[in-house]
Amino acid sequence: MTPPLFLITPEELDGDRIVLAGAEGRHAAAVRRLRAGEVVDLADGAGRRARCTVQDVAADRSSVSFVAQTYTTEPVPQPWLTVVQAIPKGEHGELAVELLTEAGADRIVPWEAERCVARWRVEGGRRDKALRKWRATARESAKQCRRARIPEVSDPVRGPDAAERLSGAGLGLLLDSEDDSAGDPGSSPASSPDGAGDAPTAPIVDTDVPSYGEIVIVVGPEGGFSPPEYRAFAEAGAQRVRLGPTVLRSATAGFAALTVLQARTGRWR
């Protein structure tokens, strides 16, 4: 069985003897009930990992002492996977972050798309509270799936401004379930403002993917992309792709796309 993983600050992750205290230490001692001799991993959330053996547990279960056996530093993943995630309603937001973290996203960008039902208002601290939830979810999910790197959860972006995230990316993918036969030129992401030059969606499994650099996946809201957002992403060079014949929820589509890209890029070898 893979050893459990706990997170510790980079400053504390050093030397032959390591003490895990605070909330993480209490969780290890009182909830996971670690015992002397058990093997665990400690990580700093930025790629450095120590394989350790439990030396002892404090009597009040407030901390755990470890003996470090080996240290490793995981390389920065290539290609880097960024997901621009339209903000889903309610707890579906945390579900999306959990799934994206488990599937290996390196960066998650909350996106308040024009057709999002959920709104992160600055008034009343709602925006900061929601962002803290997403970041806490990414942290806990990284621990659960034994990731030594916690995905970055960026500050939110709004509307067509999300297209700026494609600047410098090696590949931008717009997950789009729209039916090209519907004949709505105003909503085509690859059309010019007057509706000319529509480009159809292609299966994501057929997309040529780079081995290095950054891949940006854009996941829209349940209500779909607005015409200005379509145009902004087209101008930024995003390719329209579809996952398959079915339509996934906004909270799960990014997870499905990442699994395809992880296999296609070789990151899961």
Side-chain angles (χ1 to χ4, degrees), residues 75-82 106 168-172 208-216 261 264-267 269:
V76 176
Q78 289 292 340
W80 185 265
L81 299 174
T82 293
D106 300 302
L171 177 65
D208 291 330
V209 295
S211 300
Y212 296 93
E214 183 181 21
I215 299 176
V216 178
L261 293 175
R264 291 291 312 283
T265 60
R267 283 184 36 158
R269 288 198 179 98

Side-chain angles (χ1 to χ4, degrees), residues 177-251:
S177 62
E178 288 295 321
D179 184 358
D180 294 315
S181 64
D184 180 6
S187 65
S188 172
S191 64
S192 61
D194 62 0
D198 295 308
T201 57
I204 191 172
V205 294
D206 293 337
T207 304
D208 291 330
V209 295
S211 300
Y212 296 93
E214 183 181 21
I215 299 176
V216 178
I217 307 106
V218 183
V219 183
E222 304 289 358
F225 301 98
S226 71
E229 289 167 347
Y230 268 136
R231 287 193 291 270
F233 284 116
E235 290 168 2
Q239 299 180 30
R240 290 174 65 193
V241 294
R242 63 179 183 273
L243 291 168
T246 58
V247 178
L248 278 68
R249 291 186 178 275
S250 178

